[in-house]
Every structure is written in structure tokens, then in C-alpha cells.
Amino acid sequence: DVLIVGGGATGAGIALDAAHRGLTTACIERGDFASETSSRSTKLIWAGLKYMGTAVASLLTPQNYWDKGVVETVSDFWGELKMVYHCHVERHYMTTKNQHLCHWIPIAVPFNSWFMTNPAPMNFSLYACFPLVAPLVFKAYDALSGFSCPPSYIMRPSAVTEYFPQLKADALKYCAVFYEAQHNDSRTNLAIALTAAQKGAHICNYVAATELLQDEDGRVTGAVVVDRMTQESFPIRAKKVIFAGGPFTDGLRNMEVVQKQDENESSQVKSAVRGASGTHVVLPGHFVPQPQNGKVAMGLLDPSTSDGRFLFILPWLGHTLIGTTDTKCDAETLPSAPQNEVDWILEESKKYWNEDYQSEFTKPQNLLSAWRGWRPLAMDPHAAADGPVSRDHVISEHPVSQCIFIAGGKWTTWREMAQDVVDKVTKTPCDTLNVSLFGAEGYSDSLATQVQEKYPQLDMDVCEHLVSTYGGRVWEVCNIMDRQKEKGNKSLHRRLVENYPYIEAEVIYATHEYACNVEDILSRRTRLAYLNREAALEALPRVAELLQDELQWTTQVTQEQVQAAQAYVASYGGGGFLGDDHSVSTTTTKATDAKQEKETPVMIQH
Ligand SMILES: Cc1cc2nc3c(=O)[nH]c(=O)nc-3n(C[C@H](O)[C@H](O)[C@H](O)COP(=O)(O)OP(=O)(O)OC[C@H]3O[C@@H](n4cnc5c(N)ncnc54)[C@H](O)[C@@H]3O)c2cc1C
């Protein structure tokens, strides 16, 4: 019934919803699941604080009433507010139905003065008084979710010294603390794809759409795809083809007219998706409170950076994640972060930290990794000139080819976006709010303790990591350790690299969840490359060795795998102390070309 092109959060979500509603479904992804934008987010399932800010700012701008009139200005505000409300619904869904993937995180907003000028938050002058009203704003934010999140609160400077000792408390008036949800984005993406597969969807990574199949009227009836592991090409026929290519969507849409010129379009389709790149940097964990020794993790939001943008500084997987920037430019596939954006983030971040930390931010050895992704910013090229303006994701159907594309939106709304698309394909109602994702079954708060009781050779941080990654499926990873022991092989409970909780058994387990190559393991199945480029390079030979045994690679294939993974991991920033030897030159695919090969390392045969 449906072929979905793209296996990021959006495409995998559509596959899950379509299969759950009984449609025969295929979903293809040209790289690994989440190999693009969906693994490079700020890791927040957020309820849209920034969008609420934009909505109120627009309501309070007199010029808008003059330009657009009262009705349109108020209806725009109402639309934004509805979108924020939907984000709250989705956040509630993720934190209640998918506790194995998602947890709450308190985020402190520090105020050093009662008025924030130079610049005001979001560059909106009335927001200069934000410090005076922030606690009320956050209560309104809590109210939008029906108070289903942990309540926001105020932290006095004395409490800051205790709970966030890294901050400069003497200059501080107070901190307002609110809650968002946090996740490991590539794992959530994979869990969505695996749930789709459980429901009968055919999902494939490393399969790219290269051409569309069209009937004599120009209606698309499927796609020619290439299996990038074998180079085999074959057609997939479908009643409906849905593009979920994120920032690469225009490249897919270009295939619609390259093959058959229709009357409505010139040889290039009208652009519908622009990219906006966002860089993140990763520092060691000690910059922010981590969830250790009974302490509560806490992040920080700077709402008034030097150019008025928001900046998050968050604990994530034992590290400090800082981002993001926002620069309009075409999407590329490699994660390389521009040096000027890395420098900007580090300079901006340090202003709230105490003397001991100020210089730590810019020490090269503390920059463990840096990467960037491209937000898909979408507009509807087929909308009537006087049609409603989209505020969030765009779904558009080509009048001739009848292909649907969906782009825009955010990680948080993956489920809602899928619902909106699949509603266009079938009348069967959506029920995904009642679906828990892969790993939910068998998950409980005490699972890590149970794992350690059964496997005392695993340290507690390893057990906690395994449970927060695989949920109730953790026993399948443990079974791999048991099986290896039965075969008389070395038990695979050892860490891949010191100080990180990733163990050898996970590499084997990942191949049962569609992992194909070394880079899949280093970037997305573990998050080593995202957390610490040098640690990823250190783990690389052992990962290759384990995959060689499991997938029966020849020596030559293994060598090619190692080289390809080295080149990819070297494209992450950070690890400045590694020296130039690691700076392998690589090329990158541009957003507008769907057919061009990605440089993700793929071997011809296992
Ligand atoms: C820096 C940054 C921070 C963000 N932070 C957050 C956040 O904290 N919270 C939040 O809610 N949102 C966040 N977002 C937004 C969110 O990450 C994106 O909206 C979301 O990941 C987009 O998912 P997607 O599936 O549409 O796109 P992608 O993840 O890019 O998926 C599209 C897929 O299509 C595939 N594809 C393309 N062409 C083909 C082809 N020919 N054949 C097969 N497959 C193909 C690509 O390989 C790609 O994997 C952030 C975005 C950025 C850039």
C-alpha cells in the first residue's frame, strides 16, 4: 500500500503508524536509521517553550496588527499556541508510554539581573523583563501539559551553590527551573523502526530510492531502489509513495520531474525544504550536575546569548552537551562542525560558570566531540496563494504524481506527523498514542538491579546503560554473553573502551537490529563518536574484529571497513589533541541530489 522513502524519525514513524493501521508498508533508508538529522538533535522531547515565546512576541507586536490585521494576528497566535499544546501531548506520550527511552530533566534558567537587555531574550525588547515573570511563565508552561510534568520551581543562590555548584552564585539573583524530557535520539529512532517491523512493516536500511516508477499519466506507482550492500537494484511498487527525506526532501522531489516533465512544473521542482544547520559540542560531564551518587542531573538554558538565540547546556550520557546554532545553508551528510560555530558555542557557554570553570570551556582537551545536523524548514509548494500558512510540518501531495512529502516539524512531534500523513492514505483511525515502543515490555525501574544480580560481572553503570538503551530487551544482550560462554569463547561482558559503559555483546546484538558496518556501531548503536571522537577511534579495531567474526567478513572487507569508519569518525570535530593524522579528507553529499551515494562506509559484501 505505501512505500516510505527515508528512515529518520519521520519516516520510521510513518511506517509504524501505517503498519499499525493494517496497511502493507515498506520503508527504505539509504544510510542507517537516524543517520542524518534524527541522530544530531539536542536530544530534547520538548514542549515548545521557544514557540510559546515567539507566539506571545508576535501577539505583543503592534506592527503585526497594522500589517496583518487583528483577526490574522490573533489567529496566528492561536495556531502557535495549539502547536505548543500538541508538543505537550506528544511529550506526555513519550514520558508515560516510553519510559525506557525518555526521562525528565530539570533545566535551570539563571538570572544575574532583573532586566535582560543587550540583548533581550529572542531579541524582543519587552522580554527584557523576563527575569521578573519567568516563574509565572513556567507555571503557565506546566499548566499547558495539565501539570503532568514535574513542577517548575525557583532556586535561590544558596540552593544553586548546593545543587549546581559549577555556576557563579555571587552574581546570581535566582534560577527558574523547568522540566523537559530527554532521550537518546538514535535509539528512539531505531525503536520506532523496530516497532514498525514488529507490526509487519518491511523496513530496510542501506537501501536508496534512485528512480520513480510512473504510469502514462505521470502518477507514481513505486520506486526503483538499490541495495547498497549488494548493489542490487529492484523495483518496489506501491499505491502511495511518501517522501520523508528530512532536509534531503527536495532531492527526492526532483526525481518526480526528471523522469516525466509534467505541465505544472519546470525541469526543477519548486524548492520546498531549506536546511538550517545546528552545531553541538560535547565536553566532559563535570561541567553540569550529573545523576551520580544520589545527585540530580540538571541542565541550563541561556535565553539571551549575544545574538538572542537560546543555548542549552545539558547533561547527556555522562557528558555535557551544548547547542545549538542555527545557520541557513544546504544540508550535507557528514557531521563536521564549522570551527567558528564551535568557538561561538564555547565562548557563549562559559558566562554563568564560576572562575574555576571559565578557562576549562576553551581547553582543547575538553572538546571531546562536535557535530552538526540540518533542520528541515518546510513550505508547501502546492498550496494556493491565499491558503493557510503552515507553522510547523508541511504535508503536500503533488497534483500529478500524487506523491506525498512531509517535512519540517521536530523530533518531539514524530508521532503526530505520522498520524497526519497516514490520515491522508487511509480512513482507518490512528491509535498510536496507545502504542509503546520496542523495549517497553518488561521494563521497570528496578531492571538494572535485576540485571546486576544475575550478571555480577557487569558494573552498575553498565547495567544502567543497558537498561536505558534496550529497556526490557536487555536480556537479549545478556543472552549473547551467555551463548559466547557456552561456546567456550571469551565472555563478551568487557567494555569496548575504558570509562564508557558500552560492552562487546552490544556489537553482536546490534547486528540483530540491522547494524551493517563499523560506523553504525560507533555513531548510533553506541554513541561513542558523538560523545568522544578519540574514544570511538580507540574502540574501532575491536568493533571491527567482533563484526568480522559475526558477519564473516574477509580480511579485505574488514580492512575496508576500518578505513571507512576511521574516515567517517574523523569528520566529527573535537579531539584536537589527536593530531593531523586523523584528518582524513572526505567528500559530502548535497541536499538536492537524491541519487548520489552517501559516503557512509558500506561494504559490497559481508
Ligand atoms: C541541530 C538540531 C537540533 C535539534 N534538536 C531538536 C530537539 O532537541 N528536539 C526536537 O524535537 N527536535 C529537534 N530537532 C529537529 C529534529 O531533529 C528533526 O525535525 C527530525 O530529526 C527530522 O527527522 P526526519 O526524519 O524528517 O529527517 P532525517 O532524520 O534527516 O531523515 C531523513 C532520511 O531520509 C533519508 N533519505 C534521503 N534520501 C533518500 C533516498 N533517496 N533513499 C532513501 N532514503 C533517503 C536520509 O538518509 C535521512 O536519514 C533538531 C534539529 C537539529 C538540526
Side-chain angles (χ1 to χ4, degrees):
D1 292 320
V2 280
L3 167 63
I4 300 136
V5 183
T10 310
I14 299 167
L16 163 56
D17 192 332
H20 189 55
R21 293 201 222 184
L23 299 174
T24 53
T25 304
C27 173
I28 55 165
E29 163 55 53
R30 69 178 176 182
D32 189 14
F33 299 109
S35 52
E36 299 291 346
T37 327
S38 298
S39 58
R40 303 179 193 171
S41 76
T42 310
K43 327 297 177 200
L44 290 174
I45 298 290
W46 56 34
L49 180 67
K50 209 164 80 177
Y51 307 106
M52 197 163 103
T54 314
V56 175
S58 141
L59 193 70
L60 297 178
T61 305
Q63 186 69 34
N64 283 342
Y65 295 91
W66 184 257
D67 292 345
K68 300 195 279 185
V70 177
V71 174
E72 201 179 319
T73 305
V74 173
S75 102
D76 277 359
F77 169 73
W78 183 241
E80 290 281 343
L81 210 64
K82 259 191 354 207
M83 187 184 83
V84 174
Y85 171 72
H86 287 151
C87 290
H88 279 267
V89 171
E90 297 305 317
R91 191 181 67 170
H92 181 68
Y93 160 71
M94 287 302 286
T95 51
T96 50
K97 282 272 168 200
N98 299 297
Q99 289 174 18
H100 62 302
L101 296 169
C102 235
H103 59 268
W104 290 108
I105 175 155
I107 300 176
V109 185
F111 298 114
N112 286 340
S113 63
W114 295 111
F115 289 95
M116 292 176 115
T117 46
N118 209 9
M122 306 179 85
N123 286 321
F124 184 62
S125 50
L126 270 181
Y127 285 171
C129 62
F130 186 48
L132 297 173
V133 295
L136 280 177
V137 170
F138 288 125
K139 282 294 168 208
Y141 195 58
D142 295 352
L144 267 174
S145 55
F147 297 102
S148 60
C149 54
S152 56
Y153 60 93
I154 290 173
M155 200 161 56
R156 292 169 196 279
S158 54
V160 170
T161 319
E162 188 178 342
Y163 295 108
F164 208 142
Q166 295 90 336
L167 295 190
K168 205 165 26 181
D170 46 356
L172 206 62
K173 301 285 181 221
Y174 78 104
C175 281
V177 182
F178 71 108
Y179 283 81
E180 292 289 12
Q182 192 182 40
H183 67 148
N184 174 0
D185 49 7
S186 64
R187 182 64 204 172
T188 307
N189 196 149
L190 188 61
I192 298 168
L194 292 167
T195 314
Q198 276 184 320
K199 294 192 176 294
H202 299 266
I203 64 163
C204 281
N205 55 359
Y206 293 104
V207 172
T210 53
E211 259 177 65
L212 294 176
L213 300 168
Q214 285 172 293
D215 66 16
E216 58 276 14
D217 299 326
R219 203 176 70 83
V220 168
T221 55
V224 177
V225 305
V226 60
D227 177 343
R228 297 183 60 219
M229 303 303 292
T230 60
Q231 304 307 324
E232 188 196 346
S233 201
F234 56 94
I236 302 177
R237 295 185 191 282
K239 291 179 194 150
K240 203 71 180 170
V241 174
I242 299 170
F243 296 146
F248 303 94
T249 300
D250 278 349
L252 294 169
R253 293 176 56 245
N254 268 327
M255 291 196 291
E256 286 177 312
V257 285
V258 169
Q259 292 157 74
K260 180 167 172 64
Q261 296 286 319
D262 63 59
E263 310 84 54
N264 297 348
E265 308 266 7
S266 62
S267 60
Q268 278 286 96
V269 290
K270 205 160 120 194
S271 171
V273 183
R274 279 174 310 147
S277 88
T279 293
H280 288 89
V281 303
V282 176
L283 307 182
H286 60 81
F287 286 81
V288 285
Q290 296 286 343
Q292 277 162 1
N293 310 326
K295 287 204 173 140
V296 178
M298 193 177 287
L300 181 138
L301 165 65
D302 179 358
S304 68
T305 55
S306 59
D307 61 7
R309 281 193 302 231
F310 279 20
L311 192 69
F312 285 97
I313 304 175
L314 303 167
W316 184 61
L317 302 180
H319 291 65
T320 305
L321 171 66
I322 314 181
T324 171
T325 52
D326 191 353
T327 312
K328 304 271 177 310
C329 60
D330 278 349
E332 297 171 9
T333 55
L334 283 176
S336 326
Q339 190 58 43
N340 61 337
E341 298 202 356
V342 171
D343 292 342
W344 182 84
I345 288 176
L346 293 173
E347 272 305 316
E348 288 287 334
S349 307
K350 62 185 184 193
K351 71 178 176 218
Y352 293 106
W353 265 251
N354 66 36
E355 297 282 292
D356 297 345
Y357 276 92
Q358 292 275 322
S359 58
E360 292 290 310
F361 274 94
T362 40
K363 280 190 182 155
Q365 64 268 35
N366 280 335
L367 181 60
L368 301 179
S369 188
W371 30 270
R372 72 169 162 166
W374 281 262
R375 288 177 195 84
L377 304 177
M379 59 219 132
D380 185 352
H382 304 120
D386 57 351
V389 179
S390 166
R391 296 176 187 85
D392 195 15
H393 57 268
V394 165
I395 298 172
S396 176
E397 183 163 0
H398 192 289
V400 178
S401 77
Q402 293 178 22
C403 272
I404 294 180
F405 83 80
I406 174 159
K410 47 196 99 54
W411 232 119
T412 308
T413 51
W414 68 269
R415 195 212 57 81
E416 186 200 15
M417 289 165 73
Q419 173 174 349
D420 290 351
V421 177
V422 182
D423 279 350
K424 297 211 173 293
V425 182
T426 175
K427 291 198 164 37
T428 309
C430 175
D431 180 42
T432 45
L433 274 176
N434 290 316
V435 173
S436 292
L437 297 175
F438 193 82
E441 209 177 317
Y443 172 81
S444 72
D445 286 346
S446 63
L447 192 53
T449 315
Q450 292 171 40
V451 172
Q452 207 196 24
E453 273 166 16
K454 187 148 185 235
Y455 295 91
Q457 68 271 40
L458 296 177
D459 294 333
M460 197 55 192
D461 66 319
V462 172
C463 298
E464 281 167 355
H465 147 69
L466 292 176
V467 168
S468 65
T469 306
Y470 307 103
R473 298 276 163 167
V474 65
W475 301 114
E476 293 180 23
V477 182
C478 296
N479 284 344
I480 289 172
M481 293 192 299
D482 292 341
R483 278 207 299 276
Q484 289 292 321
K485 235 162 89 189
E486 280 160 20
K487 282 196 228 157
N489 295 342
K490 278 192 222 152
S491 163
L492 295 179
H493 71 275
R494 285 182 310 175
R495 292 173 193 254
L496 286 171
V497 60
E498 215 184 327
N499 296 328
Y500 286 84
Y502 304 112
I503 59 168
E504 293 174 338
E506 288 178 82
V507 178
I508 310 297
Y509 178 72
T511 64
H512 307 173
E513 289 186 342
Y514 303 83
C516 295
N517 62 45
V518 175
E519 194 269 323
D520 293 345
I521 307 284
L522 295 176
S523 291
R524 288 166 300 279
R525 308 320 178 91
T526 72
R527 301 313 303 264
L528 269 174
Y530 279 79
L531 294 173
N532 185 335
R533 185 176 83 156
E534 195 194 24
L537 289 168
E538 205 180 313
L540 196 155
R542 181 63 184 139
V543 171
E545 199 182 0
L546 287 161
L547 288 179
Q548 179 177 22
D549 280 356
E550 181 66 15
L551 301 175
Q552 302 188 352
W553 287 340
T554 61
T555 312
Q556 194 201 334
V557 166
T558 311
Q559 275 167 4
E560 287 168 0
Q561 277 278 346
V562 168
Q563 281 164 9
Q566 273 171 344
Y568 196 96
V569 174
S571 72
Y572 288 83
F577 47 92
L578 288 174
D580 289 335
D581 288 355
H582 292 278
S583 322
V584 183
S585 144
T586 43
T587 53
T588 187
T589 305
K590 291 280 183 192
T592 43
D593 189 354
K595 294 182 191 170
Q596 210 175 324
E597 288 287 280
K598 277 175 59 157
E599 56 293 332
T600 312
V602 179
M603 295 303 103
I604 292 175
Q605 282 181 331
H606 278 147

